[in-house]
Amino acid sequence: MRNDQTRQMSESIRLNSVLAVSGGFMDAYSYLQRDHVFANAQTGNILLFGVNLSEGNFYTSLRYLLPFMSFAFGILLAEEVRMRHVGHRFFHWRQVAVLIEALILAGVSFIPLSVNNLANALTSFACGIQVQSFRKTHGNSMATTMCIGNLRSGVHNLCHYMHTRERKYLSNAFIYFDIILCFVIGAIAGSRFVALWGIRSILFSSALLICSLIMMFTDYEKKQAASEHEHPEV
């Protein structure tokens, strides 16, 4: 029964679509509002780190190195939360991870533009938590904070469908493309909100994560009730 709980809580299309919107929003926010640094796309950050390093722009290169390192620490924290809270009776470890991420992003909204390095580091830290905590949708390996892997897997499944005509591959392809579309929607929303609310706009992403937390809690309660109904205490 535990596997069903985990799947419903963390692998539903609905939940991961909301998380993908938040992921796209965070990247747009950090890039447009915080010195053109990526919150999620760490490949881009490492590229810009190397370019600036080669040109002797040592201080500027740190602008891109810090988010990369913070992203890694976010992954580390998510794993620590998982190992310490797995199997908890009253809440799922991913709920703890999402709550931490939401609180971090809420804090970022109060960091002034003069301290963008800190804001970007914290945003990437939150992204690292998310990318480690939510890695599947309907049993398919998937990321809600980046698109390259999803694009590869979506096209891969589409190609298999074209050759086999098995609908499961077409269904999988649409799931990957749905997550990519939600990421784009998040990026569009981020662009609009940044223009309106500036540094405070990241609160929208925090609100999306709170919605995700509520969705996970509701699903968990339903599963717990179903489990108790099927296996009543003697």
Side-chain angles (χ1 to χ4, degrees), residues 76-86 93 96-97 100:
L76 179 63
L77 177 64
E79 271 300 287
E80 283 293 320
V81 171
R82 182 188 68 81
M83 289 187 286
R84 291 177 184 274
H85 292 86
V86 66
W93 70 270
V96 178
I100 294 173

Side-chain angles (χ1 to χ4, degrees), residues 2 6 15 25 42 58 65 103 113 117 179 185 205 207 216:
R2 182 69 188 172
T6 302
L15 175 63
F25 193 100
Q42 299 307 323
F58 300 113
L65 180 63
L103 292 175
L113 295 175
N117 284 343
I179 297 299
I185 291 172
S205 190
M216 293 169 67

Side-chain angles (χ1 to χ4, degrees), residues 45-97:
N45 286 337
I46 287 299
L47 170 66
L48 293 171
F49 166 73
V51 169
N52 280 279
L53 199 63
S54 70
E55 295 175 348
N57 302 322
F58 300 113
Y59 179 77
T60 303
S61 67
L62 291 177
R63 179 192 304 171
Y64 303 102
L65 180 63
L66 289 175
F68 174 80
M69 296 175 63
S70 297
F71 191 89
F73 280 116
I75 295 172
L76 179 63
L77 177 64
E79 271 300 287
E80 283 293 320
V81 171
R82 182 188 68 81
M83 289 187 286
R84 291 177 184 274
H85 292 86
V86 66
H88 198 283
R89 177 175 174 79
F90 299 108
F91 54 84
H92 195 278
W93 70 270
R94 289 186 176 89
Q95 292 171 301
V96 178

Side-chain angles (χ1 to χ4, degrees), residues 153-163 169-170 173 177:
S153 297
V155 174
H156 172 83
N157 277 276
L158 186 59
C159 182
H160 272 270
Y161 170 73
M162 292 169 64
H163 282 272
Y169 292 117
L170 183 62
F177 296 146

